[in-house]
Amino acid sequence: MELPLVVGVDGSDGSLAAVDWAVDEAARLGLPLRLVYASLWERYEGALPFGGLERPSEQVMADSVVGTAAERAHRRNPEVKVASTEVILAEASDALLREGHNACALVTGSRGRGELTGLLLGSVSLAVAARAHCPVIVVRGDRAGLAGTHERILLGAGDPASAGEAVRFAFREAEARGCTLDAVRAWRCPAHESADHPRPAEDPTHDHEHRASALLDAVLHDASADHSGVRVRRTTVEGSARKVLLDRSAAADLVIVGARRRSGHFGLQLGRVGHTLLHHAQCPVAVVPQRV
């Protein structure tokens, strides 16, 4: 049975945007949706009186949130199946991480209900993106990025040790959308090299751009052969990967980066590039884990 796209909902504007994005994604990939609301309201409201006959206001609200999200999904595209909805008594990040074991991907908004005003990224979205063992898409960005009108997928081709799953994910996205895959590898000269004081031309370590290009080709090789119909634009750019990808996110519908998931490590596992994009990108961000 095909695993669903799992969407974390809480009634916030961010989660409504996540539902809309997930419906469009499910339609492209032919996937069902699962809508999940998680909260530990019993911690604050206490046990129910009279044998549990009276329902707490938070549960009534939670039922309304998932019901409204399901209705919204149906209105956006009646052909997309909402396979299930559930209200879960658990911390939101813990619940979504568990849901990720039976999901093709997790989709969240950038900020949830009750997050501090001005917060760039909600704590739940950050925790899920940094710890999940399935792809996580944080829906954020400007109107054009959210609408998917650029017809371009942006892939940050990073460390080969954490890039394989992200590359395959990016090719599948570009193929499903029928759009261009913009594969970018950033490179930088060592601090002691500069235009004024370059190393000798015959020194093989001088040609950083050539090495970046060769690495990019190697990272893309297998997935490119498997998805020969995808138009790929290979680009190597001198500069910080964080800045290069952030700038290019303004012309992308989705930016994709890899992340390492070390077995037995329970802290946040998210590199600086992914962290920056999750906070500042101008389009949705997909963090695709690679187990090492």
Side-chain angles (χ1 to χ4, degrees):
M1 190 171 87
E2 196 113 42
L3 293 177
L5 276 176
V6 174
V7 190
V9 298
D10 64 1
S12 66
D13 290 343
S15 81
L16 295 179
V19 170
D20 291 346
W21 190 94
V23 169
D24 296 344
E25 180 76 348
R28 281 188 290 266
L29 301 179
L31 296 172
L33 291 180
R34 173 169 165 77
L35 308 177
V36 173
Y37 177 93
S39 176
L40 278 177
W41 66 80
E42 284 189 343
R43 172 185 297 177
Y44 310 107
E45 299 203 29
L48 299 181
F50 308 110
L53 296 178
E54 183 179 324
R55 303 175 71 197
S57 59
E58 180 72 16
Q59 184 169 349
V60 173
M61 187 276 295
D63 290 341
S64 175
V65 165
V66 294
T68 299
E71 292 173 5
R72 185 183 183 94
H74 180 74
R75 287 197 304 270
R76 188 167 183 90
N77 190 332
E79 295 184 1
V80 170
K81 180 182 178 182
V82 178
S84 60
T85 64
E86 188 171 358
V87 175
I88 302 173
L89 282 170
E91 293 284 2
S93 58
D94 292 340
L96 289 173
L97 288 169
R98 286 195 296 271
E99 289 287 325
H101 293 296
N102 294 294
C104 69
L106 293 168
V107 183
T108 75
S110 59
R111 286 198 300 123
R113 182 169 56 93
E115 299 283 4
L116 296 175
T117 301
L119 199 64
L120 294 172
L121 180 69
S123 58
V124 171
S125 297
L126 178 60
V128 172
R131 294 168 56 198
H133 288 280
C134 71
V136 176
I137 299 95
V138 175
V139 178
R140 58 161 299 113
D142 60 22
R143 182 172 297 181
L146 291 172
T149 57
H150 297 295
E151 298 185 346
R152 185 176 299 275
I153 296 295
L154 175 61
L155 169 66
D159 185 349
S162 61
E165 290 297 329
V167 170
R168 287 186 283 274
F169 184 94
F171 270 90
R172 289 193 296 267
E173 279 292 321
E175 186 172 66
R177 296 166 183 254
C179 71
T180 298
L181 174 59
D182 189 7
V184 178
R185 171 77 185 186
W187 60 275
R188 304 188 79 171
C189 288
H192 58 272
E193 293 186 44
S194 68
D196 295 330
H197 300 90
R199 288 191 174 197
E202 64 271 13
D203 189 335
T205 63
H206 177 69
D207 197 355
H208 302 290
E209 183 175 13
H210 176 75
R211 284 187 290 160
S213 180
L215 180 60
L216 180 59
D217 286 343
V219 167
L220 297 176
H221 181 270
D222 290 346
S224 182
D226 293 338
H227 301 272
S228 57
V230 174
R231 302 184 302 276
V232 183
R233 178 184 174 187
R234 294 170 167 84
T235 308
T236 56
V237 184
E238 182 177 9
S240 160
R242 287 178 289 177
K243 185 177 187 308
V244 167
L245 294 175
L246 199 59
D247 290 345
R248 287 173 175 255
S249 72
D253 299 322
L254 179 67
V255 56
I256 300 165
V257 292
R260 293 186 181 187
R261 294 290 186 264
R262 295 178 178 85
S263 179
H265 183 87
F266 299 103
L268 299 184
Q269 300 183 62
L270 189 66
R272 288 180 294 176
V273 174
H275 194 274
T276 298
L277 290 170
L278 287 170
H279 281 83
H280 301 287
Q282 297 183 60
C283 68
V285 179
V287 177
V288 183
Q290 182 88 20
R291 295 196 183 193
V292 295

